[in-house]
């Protein structure tokens, strides 16, 4: 028999996300500011400069998206739909950060070069179809500039920072940083990626899924609000998997054992929460909260040192 949790599942996941954020801050500090000590182990970033710069840049962006989701966790009803694009951004940013820290510095250098290329291309492009198209140009001779300034991005299929799709990037993380990181990332990908694509692109299925999933045939406003709590729970489970994947990649790739063990405890708790039946938790409040800054009284930030205790 499963003992009932003291918190609603969503609040328990929020608390775990806040703990995970503390370890993300630890990783970002070590990568950008210098050595730190955790549980008696000195943590020193050994990544090459390009790997460190690109992965930290993206991991910080993913962490900010998770902060946004923490603010959105009190939303109920239709506004919850907008949590899916934020979750997708967080997950893909964690995947890319993990990939870039594990891949060669040459791959990271291409990603850095892509920043300048994409900025130039944004002001020199054509979009639309047929007579309903627009050309934007700030360069008097874009083809010449492309050949002269960005030759590595010339040619069909070469206009991106990587030729690998998301599953292939995750596979490379597994090959280079270990299966623990890749398994967390691929779970996050499976949980959110395709659903968020349907919702982001405004597909009929995406709209239908958001409005009807978890309703169990009920047609009331209260039932719909309760269903959107389930959406938020699934979103947090997916993003927490991705965050664990990045932490496992960062700490594991650099053989930082103390925080790696702490990440394992966070992930074990995540699995425990996500595998219990909904009856093991009290119901989350279903009223809509307009103030995204409101926090549950029971979900307070936790210091990373607590994870090792």
């Amino acid at each position: 028999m499963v003992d009932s949790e003291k918190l609603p599942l969503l609040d328990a996941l929020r608390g775990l996300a806040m703990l995970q954020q503390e370890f993300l801050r630890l990783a970002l500090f070590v990568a950008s500011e210098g050595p730190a000590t955790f549980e008696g182990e000195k943590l020193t970033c050994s990544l090459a400069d390009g790997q460190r710069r690109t992965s930290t840049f993206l991991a910080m962006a993913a962490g900010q998206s998770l902060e946004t989701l923490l603010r959105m966790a009190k939303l109920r009803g239709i506004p919850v739909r907008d949590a899916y694009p934020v979750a997708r951004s967080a997950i893909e940013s964690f995947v890319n950060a993990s990939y870039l820290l594990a891949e060669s510095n040459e791959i990271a250098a291409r990603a850095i070069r892509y920043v300048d290329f994409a900025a130039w291309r944004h002001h020199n492009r054509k979009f639309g179809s047929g007579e309903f198209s627009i050309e934007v140009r700030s360069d008097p001779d874009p083809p010449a500039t492309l050949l002269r300034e960005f030759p590595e991005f010339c040619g069909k299929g070469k206009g991106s920072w990587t030729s690998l799709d998301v599953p292939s990037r995750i596979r490379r993380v597994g090959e280079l940083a270990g299966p623990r990181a890749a398994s967390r990332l691929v779970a996050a990908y499976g949980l959110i990626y395709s659903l968020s694509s349907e919702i982001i692109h405004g597909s009929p299925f995406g709209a239908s899924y958001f409005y009807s999933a978890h309703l169990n045939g009920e047609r009331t406003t209260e039932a719909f609000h309760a269903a959107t709590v389930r959406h938020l729970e699934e979103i947090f489970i997916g993003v927490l998997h991705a965050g664990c994947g990045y932490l496992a990649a960062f700490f594991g790739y650099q053989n930082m054992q103390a925080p790696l063990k702490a990440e394992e405890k966070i992930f074990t708790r995540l699995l425990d929460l996500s595998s219990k039946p909904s009856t093991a938790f009290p119901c989350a409040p279903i009223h809509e909260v307009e103030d995204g800054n409101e926090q549950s009284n029971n979900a307070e930030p936790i210091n990373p040192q607590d994870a090792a205790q």
Side-chain angles (χ1 to χ4, degrees):
M1 186 176 198
V2 178
D3 292 331
S4 293
E5 292 278 346
K6 295 180 180 180
L7 295 176
L9 175 56
L10 182 57
D11 279 348
L13 292 168
R14 289 176 64 238
L16 195 61
M18 285 186 266
L19 173 59
Q20 187 185 84
Q21 287 287 77
E22 294 301 322
F23 281 95
L24 177 60
R25 292 184 186 100
L26 176 63
L28 293 174
F29 181 90
V30 172
S32 61
E33 300 296 329
T37 300
F38 176 74
E39 288 294 303
E41 180 181 358
K42 185 177 181 181
L43 311 177
T44 302
C45 183
S46 60
L47 299 174
D49 186 61
Q51 294 165 290
R52 180 187 60 80
R53 288 171 58 196
T54 54
S55 62
T56 302
F57 183 67
L58 289 169
M60 183 170 64
Q64 181 55 60
S65 292
L66 182 48
E67 287 293 325
T68 300
L69 289 172
L70 286 167
R71 292 173 178 267
M72 299 178 80
K74 289 294 182 178
L75 296 175
R76 301 292 182 267
I78 293 175
V80 171
R81 180 181 181 274
D82 294 331
Y84 275 99
V86 179
R88 164 73 173 268
S89 178
I91 288 172
E92 197 155 359
S93 295
F94 275 133
V95 169
N96 291 338
S98 302
Y99 170 70
L100 285 166
L101 75 84
E103 265 289 7
S104 67
N105 208 40
E106 181 181 357
I107 298 296
R110 179 179 175 85
I112 293 171
R113 280 280 292 160
Y114 177 75
V115 173
D116 291 334
F117 166 67
W120 171 83
R121 185 175 60 181
H122 179 71
H123 296 286
N124 295 276
R125 59 195 173 105
K126 184 176 181 179
F127 52 90
S129 178
E131 62 179 309
F132 301 103
S133 59
I134 299 174
E135 185 173 2
V136 177
R137 179 182 295 185
S138 63
D139 191 317
D141 191 356
T145 300
L146 180 62
L147 285 171
R148 182 180 68 254
E149 301 293 335
F150 308 107
E152 66 268 48
F153 297 105
C154 292
K156 186 176 181 179
K158 295 183 178 181
S160 182
W161 66 275
T162 177
S163 61
L164 298 181
D165 60 15
V166 175
S168 298
R169 285 172 236 162
I170 295 173
R171 172 180 54 80
R172 288 295 291 160
V173 172
E175 293 169 351
L176 297 167
R180 176 188 293 190
S183 65
R184 278 111 160 107
L185 294 172
V186 77
Y189 175 83
L191 286 165
I192 297 295
Y193 200 89
S194 62
L195 283 175
S196 64
S197 291
E198 298 282 356
I199 290 171
I200 288 168
H201 296 302
S203 79
F205 170 74
S208 176
Y209 176 82
F210 177 74
Y211 287 122
S212 63
H214 311 304
L215 278 178
N216 298 320
E218 298 182 67
R219 298 288 181 178
T220 65
T221 300
E222 291 75 14
F224 176 60
H225 280 199
T228 60
V229 172
R230 294 297 309 276
H231 281 288
L232 288 166
E233 291 167 355
E234 292 177 349
I235 284 169
F236 269 92
I237 289 170
V239 175
L240 278 163
H241 271 82
C244 281
Y246 170 77
L247 294 177
F250 183 87
F251 296 131
Y253 186 76
Q254 298 177 89
N255 196 30
M256 299 176 179
Q257 290 301 312
L260 190 62
K261 290 176 182 177
E263 181 279 328
E264 180 68 26
K265 291 183 179 180
I266 294 174
F267 185 69
T268 299
R269 175 61 174 160
L270 174 60
L271 289 183
D272 180 56
L273 289 172
S274 59
S275 61
K276 286 182 178 179
S278 59
T279 54
F281 303 90
C283 294
I286 62 170
H287 62 280
E288 183 174 346
V289 177
E290 294 182 359
D291 182 2
N293 293 316
E294 180 178 335
Q295 291 188 359
S296 166
N297 291 331
N298 297 311
E300 298 178 353
I302 306 171
N303 189 286
Q305 297 284 350
D306 294 340
Q309 296 177 358

